[in-house]
Amino acid sequence: MDNALLALASAIVAVTGTLLAPVLSQRITGRVQADQFDRQERLARAQWQRDRRAAEREKRRDCYVHANAGYRRYRVELMNHLWAVHRDEVTDEGRAALQEARHAMHSAFAEAQMIASDAVMAELDVLTRELADAYARTMRLERGNPLPGWGFDEVLAALLDLGDAWVRARAVMRADLGVEPGPVAADHAAAAEGRDGEGPDGDGPDGDGPRGPDGRSGEAGAPSGGGQRGR
């Protein structure tokens, strides 16, 4: 009797194991596949986030390149026009060049408003406001109705001081792109050299800078008796 019961129990266990094996195997396989799917989904999401960050960084880089070129060109053309007003040599071509540069700067600023970081926009807001003030003062000089205390020397000094502001803005842009901005002292030294017509930013002897009354490029053409360049 005992042997019969033992044999029956063994048979039941064997049959049960045979019946449950496919079910257990299917559940294990499903769990492994689910884990693999989750892992693949996490990898795909991480890759998508990396691609998105790279695309956003590339858009910001292009935006900052346009801003760098647009603001720099506008400042140079504004200084050229200021000298032309000072020498009473304003031409239609000069006015057209100034307005073209001004519109290009406005376009770069509009693009930056949609793309640039808050830190960069804070710097561009300062530059935009200062350039707008310099433009208005220059136009007043051209019409022979200057603002009190804002003659040629003072407007020129304000435009020269914007070189330092642009060094700061450029450093913020580079930091936002993950580029090492370098020592601040070195940037200010480079800006100071640029004021003497020898700087690396193009406002110097490469012919891209403002022209003084002696026909030379660069900002060294300012008269020695002009306004102070310091703040």
Side-chain angles (χ1 to χ4, degrees):
M1 184 66 178
D2 292 338
N3 291 336
L5 292 175
L6 182 60
L8 179 60
S10 299
I12 293 174
V13 170
V15 172
T16 302
T18 301
L19 294 175
L20 292 177
V23 177
L24 294 175
S25 177
Q26 185 177 6
R27 292 188 62 182
I28 293 172
T29 301
R31 182 174 298 176
V32 170
Q33 291 176 342
D35 291 341
Q36 290 176 344
F37 177 79
D38 290 342
R39 184 164 55 252
Q40 291 173 353
E41 186 178 20
R42 288 194 300 270
L43 291 174
R45 182 178 295 275
Q47 183 62 45
W48 176 78
Q49 290 176 344
R50 286 193 296 269
D51 292 343
R52 185 185 65 177
R53 287 193 295 267
E56 290 175 351
R57 185 166 55 250
E58 186 67 16
K59 286 177 61 177
R60 291 200 310 275
R61 188 193 70 83
D62 291 343
C63 171
Y64 297 164
V65 168
H66 293 159
N68 184 56
Y71 278 74
R72 176 177 174 274
R73 177 187 174 197
Y74 180 43
R75 176 171 170 261
V76 168
E77 290 296 343
L78 188 53
M79 294 182 76
N80 286 339
H81 193 75
L82 178 63
W83 277 111
V85 170
H86 184 61
R87 300 194 301 266
D88 196 21
E89 296 178 358
V90 176
T91 64
D92 291 340
E93 292 78 6
R95 289 194 184 96
L98 174 61
Q99 292 305 319
E100 182 181 354
R102 185 166 177 251
H103 293 157
M105 188 274 289
H106 287 163
S107 177
F109 181 68
E111 180 185 11
Q113 286 178 311
M114 300 295 103
I115 298 175
S117 67
D118 290 343
V120 171
M121 278 309 306
E123 298 294 333
L124 292 182
D125 282 339
V126 172
L127 285 168
T128 302
R129 183 171 59 252
E130 293 296 330
L131 284 169
D133 289 344
Y135 175 82
R137 292 160 185 160
T138 301
M139 294 301 101
R140 293 285 295 263
L141 283 173
E142 183 178 352
R143 293 193 298 267
N145 184 28
L147 290 171
W150 284 100
F152 166 78
D153 292 334
E154 289 75 20
V155 178
L156 178 62
L159 285 170
L160 291 172
D161 283 344
L162 282 180
D164 290 338
W166 185 249
V167 168
R168 291 191 297 272
R170 185 181 61 196
V172 174
M173 290 179 186
R174 288 168 61 87
D176 188 53
L177 294 174
V179 179
E180 176 60 42
V184 175
D187 281 340
H188 281 283
E193 289 178 0
R195 291 183 175 184
D196 295 330
E198 300 173 357
D201 289 338
D203 296 343
D206 59 1
D208 192 29
R211 295 178 291 276
D214 56 1
R216 294 181 300 170
S217 63
E219 299 161 357
S224 59
Q228 295 296 320
R229 296 183 183 181
R231 298 185 183 280

